[in-house]
Amino acid sequence: MTKQKLELTWIGKEKRPRLEPRILLEDPSKSYHAAHRMSPGDVFDNRLIFGDNLLALKALEQEFSGRVKCVFIDPPYNTGSAFTHYDDGLEHSIWLGLMRDRLEIIKRLLSDDGSLWITIDDNEAHYLKVLCDEIFSRQCFIANVIWEKSDSPRNSARQFSTDHDHVLIYSRNPDWIPKRLARTDEANSIYTNQDSDYRGPWLAGDPFANKPYSKGLYKITGPTGREFQPPPGRYWRISEEKFWELDKDNRIWWGSKKDARPSIKRYLSEVSDLVPRTLWSKTDVGSNRTSKNEMRLLFPGESSFDTPKPEKLIERLINIATNPGDLILDSFAGSGTTGAVAHKMGRRWIMVELGEHCHTHVIPRLKKVIDGTDQGGVTETTCWQGGGGFRYYKLAPSLIVNDRWGNPVINPEYNAAQLAEALCKLEGFTYAPSEIRWWQQGHSSERDFLYVTTQNLSAEQLQAISDDVGSDNSLLVCCAAFHGITAAQAADRWPNLTLKKIPKMVLSRCEWGHDDYSLNVANLPLAAPTPAADPATTGTATRRGKPPADIGTKDMFGDNAP
């Protein structure tokens, strides 16, 4: 009997895209950096990638697997609302499938001590939680932070005014430990110094504990003769010997009249930073109104994004998850908040965005950060004055296209270097052309190399290549064709060479020419009407229409659909 597992299912879950690992092409005209270094820690090799974010994640996988310390994503919430910059309305099954494909690559990109942070609302939060449990495991679920996003209630709400969003947090490994947060004035304000203790402010701590303690059952007599002992079911937190030792050192508080139940002093100077909590108020990390005001300050007179996140929210999660110099990834860049805040905090970053606002909003915003002219958000708290830079990339077009007769051929837009880099990525080699060995364009180890050419190689040319490679090395030769010898004969004659023909060698690897795996899907098509349907009993169609036949809401989650 096949062992079953608990999982979330949906129509089309078994369908997985066969992604083409594209190369990234830098456009220096859109890259940007400061005129000079502002500090030794300035970072210039941050990346802004324009293109479909699933293809971009696949493009990053070879170079960055296991290297990303923190991933923050703010995906479309699947609310059905019409946003200016995102078409956010997707049926559950399509949304879950598209998120699953992205999360699986994100998991591979995370370092062993990395973490994933996802902002989401109630429409998909609980389905997304189960999906993430399946991908990362329930043991790697860290917390569901509740972020107070609204400043005031919406009295126009039909049922409840939604005042919060979720921030789901997962780690790459179960033993991940978050950094503590710096203490705040509010947290410190509860510490006082009622007896002018030379050690400074203190807080009266409970002397009792619930956990049984063999030396925790005793009776003591206070300065006024009053006796004290733990209530039933509780124990002194420390032994009697330790108690009187602390009392002698003035670390026991008996109250201002020396007749109160004793408390153990906890000194502000001895407490550590704050453990992160799961309730984040608008006072501490900002609200939707905060973020919209930040956008208006950056782009006066322009319509604001509907769902930007405040810089203080991103600052907090970056503080918890990373250290200066760590790498942060946001594959739903939106207005570019993650990169802007990461830059101000001295972190390295990668952002991906497909919308045209990558050029109209994200790049201008990052330029202001680099120039030191962005005075909003966390600029003051991070003491940011400008510096650093980023490199702008776009996804290369598909490597394989069809010619006018329908035959698959190498895309003529690729030059020789781009072709070599693309084949390196497809074959699992690192693209690193040698300045000395003309045939060494990539390597997979110290002695395994790759060479790409669109020539038709002869036996004489192959012999020359083999001689130059030497018996201690191996070379994968990717060529248009070879003549004068068969593949079997070549293997026997040149054991240090492996011959493959392009494009034949890669045709079955992936989906070629598929440029859009976007979450920004427009309205889904209407299902074909059922001939026997009675309009009087079927009711009125919704604004979005019925879902397609293969995305029924009942079929999506079974008969017990939530």
Side-chain angles (χ1 to χ4, degrees):
M1 181 177 177
T2 303
K3 186 177 180 180
Q4 293 182 324
K5 64 177 182 178
L6 180 66
E7 64 176 332
L8 178 65
T9 62
W10 63 87
I11 296 298
K13 182 178 181 180
E14 72 285 353
K15 297 177 182 179
R16 293 176 179 270
R18 297 167 58 239
L19 299 173
E20 175 186 357
R22 305 276 183 98
I23 63 173
L24 298 173
L25 305 178
E26 183 178 4
D27 183 348
S29 69
K30 293 185 175 66
S31 299
Y32 192 76
H33 62 81
H36 56 272
R37 284 189 176 273
M38 298 292 293
S39 72
D42 285 356
V43 180
F44 293 88
D45 62 347
N46 301 298
R47 299 192 183 193
L48 176 61
I49 301 170
F50 178 67
D52 179 272
N53 65 6
L54 184 57
L55 287 172
L57 288 170
K58 186 65 178 178
L60 293 168
E61 186 175 9
Q62 183 187 47
E63 181 179 356
F64 290 97
S65 285
R67 295 178 57 189
V68 178
K69 187 68 171 290
C70 171
V71 176
F72 170 76
I73 55 175
D74 181 26
Y77 284 4
N78 196 18
T79 63
S81 302
F83 294 119
T84 303
H85 300 287
Y86 280 124
D87 185 347
D88 201 27
L90 300 174
E91 295 296 337
H92 290 288
S93 58
I94 294 179
W95 191 89
L96 286 167
L98 294 171
M99 286 302 299
R100 184 269 316 274
D101 298 336
R102 287 155 175 80
L103 290 170
E104 287 181 337
I105 300 179
I106 285 172
K107 180 182 178 182
R108 296 192 288 270
L109 292 172
L110 282 173
S111 60
D112 288 340
D113 57 351
S115 58
L116 166 66
W117 304 64
I118 313 173
T119 49
I120 197 72
D121 71 355
D122 282 330
N123 285 283
E124 295 290 355
H126 306 89
Y127 300 107
L128 181 60
K129 166 69 167 64
V130 178
L131 176 63
C132 288
D133 284 346
E134 184 175 325
I135 295 172
F136 288 86
S137 84
R138 294 185 68 177
Q139 291 72 30
C140 289
F141 170 68
I142 301 301
N144 175 15
V145 168
I146 301 302
W147 167 48
E148 185 185 17
K149 67 178 182 179
S150 297
D151 284 277
S152 57
R154 294 179 58 189
N155 290 323
S156 60
R158 188 169 67 89
Q159 294 173 321
F160 283 78
S161 173
T162 302
D163 296 336
H164 74 278
D165 273 349
H166 304 262
V167 184
L168 298 180
I169 308 169
Y170 281 81
S171 61
R172 185 65 178 83
N173 287 302
D175 56 356
W176 181 80
I177 301 296
K179 288 175 57 186
R180 295 194 173 209
L181 295 169
R183 300 191 63 84
T184 63
D185 291 340
E186 180 182 0
N188 293 341
S189 65
I190 61 175
Y191 288 78
T192 60
N193 196 350
Q194 302 178 52
D195 59 353
S196 301
D197 194 316
Y198 73 92
R199 284 165 289 228
W202 50 267
L203 180 69
D206 188 354
F208 303 131
N210 295 325
K211 186 176 181 180
Y213 177 42
S214 61
K215 296 183 179 182
L217 290 174
Y218 53 86
K219 183 185 296 185
I220 61 172
T221 303
T224 62
R226 183 181 175 187
E227 293 185 339
F228 300 93
Q229 62 182 351
R234 304 198 75 193
Y235 304 79
W236 290 104
R237 191 176 297 275
I238 53 179
S239 67
E240 185 174 8
E241 180 183 3
K242 182 66 175 178
F243 179 93
W244 292 117
E245 180 183 324
L246 293 179
D247 183 58
K248 184 178 180 179
D249 194 28
N250 193 30
R251 288 176 175 262
I252 299 295
W253 174 246
W254 297 94
S256 58
K257 296 182 179 180
K258 301 295 184 180
D259 61 351
R261 187 200 71 179
S263 300
I264 301 173
K265 291 181 179 180
R266 296 174 53 200
Y267 292 93
L268 178 59
S269 59
E270 297 175 354
V271 297
S272 62
D273 287 339
L274 302 173
V275 173
R277 303 177 67 178
T278 55
L279 289 176
W280 291 7
S281 71
K282 61 180 183 290
T283 304
D284 292 332
V285 298
S287 63
N288 280 340
R289 181 179 298 174
T290 306
S291 53
K292 289 183 179 181
N293 288 338
E294 289 172 352
M295 292 302 295
R296 292 188 186 103
L297 182 64
L298 288 165
F299 304 102
E302 294 190 25
S303 59
S304 174
F305 275 70
D306 288 282
T307 59
K309 297 299 177 283
E311 290 200 6
K312 288 169 65 177
L313 176 73
I314 306 301
E315 180 190 33
R316 171 167 287 193
L317 70 89
I318 289 178
N319 270 325
I320 294 172
T322 69
N323 294 303
D326 285 339
L327 179 60
I328 297 171
L329 168 66
D330 183 351
S331 55
F332 293 89
S335 62
T337 304
T338 302
V341 176
H343 203 97
K344 295 176 185 179
M345 296 178 68
R347 273 64 168 178
R348 296 177 298 130
W349 54 265
I350 300 172
M351 289 196 296
V352 182
E353 183 50 58
L354 175 62
E356 186 55 33
H357 52 281
C358 178
H359 306 115
T360 60
H361 290 76
V362 178
I363 291 179
R365 180 178 191 173
L366 293 173
K367 286 182 176 180
K368 292 180 180 181
V369 173
I370 293 166
D371 292 340
T373 59
D374 173 9
Q375 298 301 310
V378 299
T379 296
E380 183 176 348
T381 58
T382 57
C383 301
W384 178 252
Q385 296 180 336
F390 67 89
R391 301 169 69 178
Y392 172 96
Y393 293 87
K394 61 181 179 180
L395 287 167
S398 182
L399 177 65
I400 304 298
V401 296
N402 290 331
D403 63 16
R404 56 199 233 173
W405 295 282
N407 299 314
V409 296
I410 297 295
N411 193 327
E413 294 183 35
Y414 276 68
N415 60 33
Q418 293 167 354
L419 175 59
E421 183 179 358
L423 289 177
C424 277
K425 182 165 283 192
L426 283 161
E427 292 294 321
F429 285 70
T430 300
Y431 178 66
S434 170
E435 296 180 357
I436 302 172
R437 297 172 173 173
W438 55 271
W439 45 264
Q440 184 178 318
Q441 296 175 314
H443 62 83
S444 61
S445 70
E446 293 181 355
R447 297 187 178 277
D448 299 311
F449 306 102
L450 177 143
Y451 169 58
V452 178
T453 177
T454 54
Q455 295 182 38
N456 185 337
L457 299 177
S458 65
E460 291 76 14
Q461 290 172 308
L462 291 169
Q463 181 65 58
I465 294 173
S466 177
D467 292 341
D468 201 14
V469 170
S471 59
D472 292 335
N473 300 318
S474 66
L475 181 68
L476 171 59
V477 179
C478 308
C479 57
F482 48 89
H483 61 272
I485 192 168
T486 65
Q489 291 172 333
D492 292 335
R493 184 170 173 181
W494 304 298
N496 59 346
L497 301 184
T498 300
L499 306 183
K500 292 186 177 182
K501 294 182 180 180
I502 52 176
K504 181 180 179 181
M505 60 181 283
V506 297
L507 290 182
S508 62
R509 296 286 183 87
C510 47
E511 301 168 348
W512 304 104
H514 195 150
D515 294 319
D516 186 6
Y517 296 90
S518 174
L519 279 164
N520 303 336
V521 177
N523 290 331
L524 296 168
L526 296 175
T530 304
D534 183 354
T537 60
T538 56
T540 305
T542 64
R543 176 177 61 85
R544 294 181 50 76
K546 292 174 62 180
D550 62 340
I551 315 176
T553 52
K554 178 180 178 181
D555 294 339
M556 197 183 308
F557 300 102
D559 291 330
N560 296 320

